[in-house]
Amino acid sequence: MTTQLSLAARSARTALSQRLAQIDVYPGQDAVLLAIGEEDGISLRDLAERLSVRPPTITKTVTRLASQGLVEKRLSDSDGRQNHAHLTERGAAIVDAVGKSRKRIEREALKGFSNKERKALRKLLERVTANLDGASTLPAAARSAAEDND
């Protein structure tokens, strides 16, 4: 089951990467752009937390997005040690294109699925994610005990 899940995720990511390449967005940048689009002016620390990545990863990605003219990094008005990410006009246009690319890939992936099947798949994938996220945060002894109960 995890093999099929991994293969499906890889296929989705490959298809999305190909679409994003057409608008000069690299894998990983899409999530950052969408998050900034949801909260323009988000701190880099909050952005890293929201995306569950390390702060140096966000700093590197935002710096690259800034060099592409999609994002501006600005010092916080209240805390000079913090940077905030803001979309440029070009970045805002790209966010729309990224969202459309993601929707197109989702439509392709779920072609032939009924609305009921789509909803069921989403709920099942959310449960898989929750199970794995919970398993990774449990101490080893608790994970072992939980697995014994399954």
Side-chain angles (χ1 to χ4, degrees), residues 12 15 19 102-119 121-122:
R19 290 241 183 247
R102 281 186 165 199
K103 288 283 186 198
R104 175 173 273 152
I105 295 304
E106 185 175 315
R107 278 194 307 273
E108 287 177 21
L110 300 177
K111 193 178 347 182
F113 284 57
S114 69
N115 285 337
K116 186 177 180 179
E117 289 172 323
R118 289 170 190 239
K119 187 181 276 188
L121 178 60
R122 181 177 293 111

Side-chain angles (χ1 to χ4, degrees), residues 65-84:
L65 288 167
S67 72
Q68 291 173 261
L70 303 176
V71 171
E72 277 183 5
K73 256 192 323 187
R74 297 184 203 153
L75 283 176
S76 169
D77 293 334
S78 59
D79 184 350
R81 297 170 295 171
Q82 282 192 15
N83 281 302
H84 293 262

Side-chain angles (χ1 to χ4, degrees), residues 9 22 54 57 65 74 81 101 104 132:
Q22 296 171 1
R54 295 180 47 229
T57 301
L65 288 167
R74 297 184 203 153
R81 297 170 295 171
S101 293
R104 175 173 273 152
L132 293 174

Side-chain angles (χ1 to χ4, degrees), residues 35-140:
I36 298 169
E38 288 174 10
E39 188 181 337
D40 196 47
I42 188 171
S43 73
L44 298 191
R45 182 179 349 131
D46 290 345
L47 187 56
E49 188 174 303
R50 178 178 292 178
L51 297 175
S52 301
V53 297
R54 295 180 47 229
T57 301
I58 285 298
T59 300
K60 182 178 177 182
T61 301
V62 168
T63 299
R64 186 167 189 184
L65 288 167
S67 72
Q68 291 173 261
L70 303 176
V71 171
E72 277 183 5
K73 256 192 323 187
R74 297 184 203 153
L75 283 176
S76 169
D77 293 334
S78 59
D79 184 350
R81 297 170 295 171
Q82 282 192 15
N83 281 302
H84 293 262
H86 299 266
L87 290 174
T88 63
E89 197 172 305
R90 184 167 171 248
I94 293 287
V95 166
D96 289 339
V98 167
K100 287 176 183 175
S101 293
R102 281 186 165 199
K103 288 283 186 198
R104 175 173 273 152
I105 295 304
E106 185 175 315
R107 278 194 307 273
E108 287 177 21
L110 300 177
K111 193 178 347 182
F113 284 57
S114 69
N115 285 337
K116 186 177 180 179
E117 289 172 323
R118 289 170 190 239
K119 187 181 276 188
L121 178 60
R122 181 177 293 111
K123 287 185 178 193
L124 291 169
L125 290 172
E126 287 170 354
R127 284 176 54 194
V128 168
T129 301
N131 288 343
L132 293 174
D133 285 349
S136 67
T137 60
L138 288 175

